[in-house]
Amino acid sequence: MSTIQQIYAREVLDARGIPTIECTLWLDDGRSVMTTVPSGTSTGKYEAKELRDNDSNRMVGKGVLKAVENINTILGPQLVGDDPTNQTDLDQKMVNLDGTKDKSKLGANAILAISQAILKAGALSSNLPLYKYIQQKYQITQQMDIPTCVFTMIEGGKHGAENLDVQEFEIIPATHVNFPESLNMAVTIYNKLKEVLIMKGAIHSTGLNGGFTPNLFNNTDAFEIIIESIKATPYTFAQDVFLGADMSASSFFENGKYMLKDKSQAYSSKDLAKYYKSLKELYHVFYIEDPYQEDDTNAWKEITLDIGATSMIVGDSLLVTSLEKTTKAIADKVCNSVLVKPNQTGTVSETIQVIKLAKESGWQAIVSHRSGGTIDDFVADLAVGTGAQYVKFGPPNRGERIAKYNRLLTIYNELAYDAQQLAAAPVAQAETAETVTQQPAVEATPEQPVQEVTQTPVETTTPEAPQPVVEETIQEPQPVVATPEPTVVETPLPATPQPVAVETPLPATPQPVAVETPLPATPQPVTAPIAIETPPLEIPGENSAPIVLSAEGEAVATPAENKQA
């Protein structure tokens, strides 16, 4: 296997024009990988900490030159000569070098940049696409499908223009819609929505991620307009497509109450629960993300108990991709789904532990982008390789969002090609007694004994909370045959609707749309007509424990011996 020869980082800009880190890793055979890390706008207070320069004279204080320097002078040199397939060991080494619970010394952004690069380098050295490498290395799923996409249509809150309280209004394709058709659905509805907004004389500018930010009277009007747009397409509302909402309730939580434009009085937690039930009944909203402020635990439990059987109650700021917080939420039945953002926890190993726990517990895992994203499509491969049921990559526009959807299209075609090759493979004819006697005998070669590799566990002074272990396959290396590149069939997008001239101002608040279609069962993740079962990848070199966590769920340093920089 290849080893790490050099790691180099530099400062680049994310989709918001704010600095982030780009990291390049070279292997000793001359090949290289590159990755960038995202950053969020609406961040949870329990997330791992980015390292920013805080120099008001440069990049509005958001520069990351300190984090870049930490990669180039501290973290990177310690990993030179290591095998990139030893992901957990190398992640632990970086946690040790940082030595803090929240990765604030060297920066979670610095550590994650290298962690992502290591995973990509491991796939490259194994001659596998990243998603196949993840699947065969961690074996969280036995088959790979394209997850159901949560598409943003309208933005408000911190992602909008103070127009609405809810951060994202979303559409979610139903089970029977495959990925190419779901992408066509999103593009069609998105452009039809623009046409409807123009027709009504509403603002149709876009927000931070590319969703529309119309000037509506209240939050429920956004659901009304999306439904009106869906009905103007070939798709059937509540059969082909459903609605979701990222409430980001912390952003409108003040003095123990929740302030929404939908009524003049503040909402109590119980009032807000009634509001969510009405959204479900009137608009078939079955996906609700961050419905309450992260410390309003009893309200989380009550809404999950009340509508969780037929709805996804998703924890983002509540869980911050933390293994400890997710473990506790599962035990306490606080919610039933976890939003997964690698930069919330700071390493690939810890991220994969959370996905593994969620799937083993019957939860839904949603792999998500961040508003401060780049054209890096790492999270698309992560979602497919771990078998996540959903992905949330934003609206079907803006280059940093489209890069991830296009990557899913590539993976979809590769899986289709693999399925065709498997179906076309000749079936071995069963041997008869006569043919067996005609064949010359072949002397069996005795198998060589396999020497068991053991590692002394790293001692830690901090007691570890019980946690699932990410199993990584450790076998003798075998030659890997590169997968042929499939032919990608380009499907033309529907014609962009023409703007409609508007002579009247925005009308009064529309009445709720009466939907005659009965609510079907909660949509399940899109199951593409492709199910590829692959044998475990025989990747050498890793027989280590998962990232060490403290009782509070934070990654902690262990007294493992490190190289000198």
Side-chain angles (χ1 to χ4, degrees):
M1 280 290 181
S2 301
T3 59
I4 297 171
Q5 184 178 56
Q6 184 181 358
I7 296 174
Y8 176 77
R10 67 188 184 111
E11 182 183 78
V12 296
L13 298 181
D14 67 21
R16 305 165 301 175
I18 293 176
T20 189
I21 300 171
E22 176 188 274
C23 181
T24 303
L25 184 154
W26 285 268
L27 297 172
D28 59 353
D29 59 11
R31 293 181 295 174
S32 66
V33 296
M34 186 273 289
T35 192
T36 54
V37 291
S39 179
T41 299
S42 178
T43 57
K45 62 182 179 181
Y46 300 115
E47 293 187 20
K49 298 298 185 287
E50 297 178 324
L51 184 63
R52 297 282 179 179
D53 297 339
N54 297 318
D55 179 0
S56 59
N57 295 320
R58 183 180 178 278
M59 294 291 183
V60 295
K62 299 289 187 178
V64 291
L65 295 181
K66 292 179 181 178
V68 166
E69 183 180 4
N70 288 340
I71 291 176
N72 292 336
T73 63
I74 301 175
L75 293 167
Q78 290 285 344
L79 304 177
V80 171
D82 286 332
D83 183 346
T85 63
N86 293 339
Q87 184 76 40
T88 303
D89 286 345
L90 302 188
D91 283 346
Q92 182 67 64
K93 182 182 287 190
M94 290 189 289
V95 169
N96 293 349
L97 289 167
D98 178 88
T100 64
K101 293 181 178 181
D102 56 7
K103 304 178 178 67
S104 56
K105 179 181 179 181
L106 300 179
N109 47 349
I111 293 173
L112 180 62
I114 296 181
S115 186
Q116 289 184 180
I118 289 170
L119 193 69
K120 287 187 175 184
L124 181 63
S125 67
S126 301
N127 297 316
L128 283 172
L130 182 56
Y131 67 95
K132 288 186 178 179
Y133 175 75
I134 293 171
Q135 187 271 329
Q136 295 183 24
K137 183 176 182 65
Y138 294 100
Q139 291 289 295
I140 298 177
T141 183
Q142 296 306 310
Q143 67 179 36
M144 290 181 289
D145 301 316
I146 303 299
T148 301
C149 294
V150 179
F151 296 101
T152 303
M153 294 285 114
I154 291 176
E155 293 186 272
K158 291 183 178 180
H159 289 183
E162 302 298 327
N163 52 321
L164 298 166
D165 305 298
V166 178
Q167 185 163 282
E168 293 177 349
F169 299 82
E170 301 147 340
I171 63 169
I172 306 170
T175 304
H176 63 272
V177 183
N178 65 25
F179 176 65
E181 183 56 36
S182 73
L183 195 57
N184 179 57
M185 174 190 292
V187 171
T188 301
I189 295 173
Y190 182 85
N191 283 280
K192 181 57 67 174
L193 175 59
K194 180 178 181 180
E195 183 179 335
V196 170
L197 290 172
I198 293 174
M199 179 182 66
K200 292 181 177 294
I203 293 173
H204 56 280
S205 58
T206 56
L208 195 61
N209 292 331
F212 295 110
T213 57
N215 52 329
L216 304 178
F217 290 108
N218 55 51
N219 295 283
T220 54
D221 286 350
F223 292 115
E224 295 278 2
I225 287 182
I226 292 175
I227 292 173
E228 180 179 346
S229 302
I230 292 171
K231 289 185 175 182
T233 71
Y235 303 104
T236 302
F237 174 63
Q239 288 186 4
D240 298 325
V241 59
F242 295 80
L243 300 185
D246 178 2
M247 300 301 298
S248 192
S250 296
S251 64
F252 53 84
F253 181 75
E254 298 177 10
N255 301 319
K257 298 284 186 178
Y258 297 90
M259 300 297 298
L260 291 173
K261 292 184 177 181
D262 296 74
K263 73 173 187 179
S264 56
Q265 296 83 14
Y267 287 75
S268 67
S269 297
K270 292 186 181 295
D271 292 335
L272 198 56
K274 293 178 183 179
Y275 176 76
Y276 292 143
K277 291 178 190 177
S278 70
L279 294 183
K280 183 175 175 60
E281 293 169 1
L282 290 173
Y283 306 116
H284 299 293
V285 177
F286 90 99
Y287 175 106
I288 305 176
E289 182 181 327
D290 280 350
Y292 296 100
Q293 192 264 353
E294 50 260 48
D295 294 324
D296 196 356
T297 308
N298 289 333
W300 278 89
K301 290 181 180 179
E302 290 175 8
I303 195 68
T304 301
L305 179 64
D306 203 2
I307 64 174
T310 55
S311 302
M312 290 175 62
I313 309 301
V314 184
D316 176 16
S317 296
L318 174 73
L319 303 177
V320 293
T321 318
S322 162
L323 182 64
E324 180 69 16
K325 290 184 180 297
T326 303
T327 301
K328 183 172 175 30
I330 290 170
D332 295 343
K333 299 181 180 179
V334 174
C335 52
N336 59 24
S337 306
V338 56
L339 201 73
V340 177
K341 298 173 178 176
N343 81 313
Q344 287 182 326
T345 187
T347 67
V348 167
S349 297
E350 292 167 280
T351 302
I352 289 178
Q353 287 178 23
V354 171
I355 297 174
K356 184 175 187 290
L357 173 63
K359 289 177 64 65
E360 289 176 346
S361 303
W363 273 30
Q364 306 295 308
I366 308 101
V367 174
S368 176
H369 69 152
R370 298 303 301 254
S371 58
T374 69
I375 59 172
D376 193 310
D377 53 21
F378 173 84
V379 288
D381 287 75
L382 177 67
V384 175
T386 57
Q389 298 96 330
Y390 291 83
V391 293
K392 178 182 169 184
F393 294 160
N397 77 337
R398 302 281 177 87
E400 66 280 1
R401 320 298 163 193
I402 293 302
K404 296 160 183 61
Y405 291 125
N406 285 345
R407 177 59 183 159
L408 289 180
L409 277 175
T410 298
I411 295 173
Y412 181 89
N413 287 328
E414 288 181 1
L415 292 177
Y417 178 85
D418 289 346
Q420 292 172 357
Q421 293 297 104
L422 184 62
V427 179
Q429 183 178 359
E431 293 182 341
T432 63
E434 180 179 356
T435 58
V436 169
T437 57
Q438 293 176 353
Q439 298 296 325
V442 178
E443 184 178 352
T445 303
E447 295 183 357
Q448 296 297 323
V450 179
Q451 183 178 358
E452 183 178 357
V453 179
T454 60
Q455 292 185 352
T456 303
V458 178
E459 296 181 357
T460 177
T461 57
T462 304
E464 295 182 18
Q467 53 188 304
V469 178
V470 177
E471 297 180 0
E472 299 181 2
T473 307
I474 309 164
Q475 298 179 0
E476 292 297 322
Q478 299 292 332
V480 181
V481 180
T483 304
E485 290 293 331
T487 302
V488 179
V489 180
E490 297 185 357
T491 305
L493 294 177
T496 303
Q498 297 300 314
V500 178
V502 178
E503 299 180 357
T504 58
L506 183 65
T509 305
Q511 296 300 315
V513 176
V515 180
E516 300 178 357
T517 306
L519 176 62
T522 305
Q524 299 300 316
V526 172
T527 303
I530 303 151
I532 306 297
E533 295 192 4
T534 54
L537 172 65
E538 299 179 347
I539 299 173
E542 195 152 0
N543 184 24
S544 56
I547 289 290
V548 176
L549 301 178
S550 69
E552 292 77 20
E554 302 292 348
V556 297
T558 65
E561 186 173 332
N562 295 315
K563 293 187 230 178
Q564 296 298 320

